[in-house]
Amino acid sequence: MRSNFRPNIRLATNILLVIVTFAIPLKIAPIAVVYKEKNLCIKYLKHQIDRDELIKRLKIVKQANPSSICDSILKS
């Protein structure tokens, strides 16, 4: 009778590859959000987007000063 050890190892390896494949984007997603905010601030400081567009995209209150918020975002 043949041993099932090798097919079980292959199955376990394939399952781990699938798990890792989906874990990588979950790990990268928060980094993408930070860079998206930084790019928005850079566009605002270069006058490529206006104040209202920045407030809408960053979901901040209108009373906040976008320049100071951008300074804190770009420093982090």
Side-chain angles (χ1 to χ4, degrees):
M1 195 164 169
R2 191 169 167 222
S3 172
N4 285 334
F5 183 71
R6 278 202 159 171
N8 288 343
I9 292 291
R10 261 189 246 129
L11 179 63
T13 304
N14 288 341
I15 291 171
L16 284 174
L17 283 173
V18 169
I19 291 171
V20 168
T21 301
F22 286 103
I24 290 172
L26 293 175
K27 189 90 170 159
I28 294 175
I31 298 170
V33 171
V34 170
Y35 279 104
K36 184 179 177 184
E37 290 175 351
K38 285 185 179 189
N39 285 335
L40 282 172
C41 284
I42 290 169
K43 285 182 179 183
Y44 173 72
L45 294 174
K46 289 183 174 181
H47 304 291
Q48 293 175 350
I49 61 173
D50 61 347
R51 181 180 187 270
D52 294 330
E53 183 71 22
L54 180 72
I55 288 171
K56 185 175 82 174
R57 287 192 185 177
L58 289 179
K59 298 178 182 122
I60 56 177
V61 293
K62 289 202 179 235
Q63 290 84 13
N65 185 1
S67 295
S68 63
I69 291 172
C70 282
D71 288 341
S72 64
I73 288 174
L74 292 173
K75 286 181 184 176
S76 61

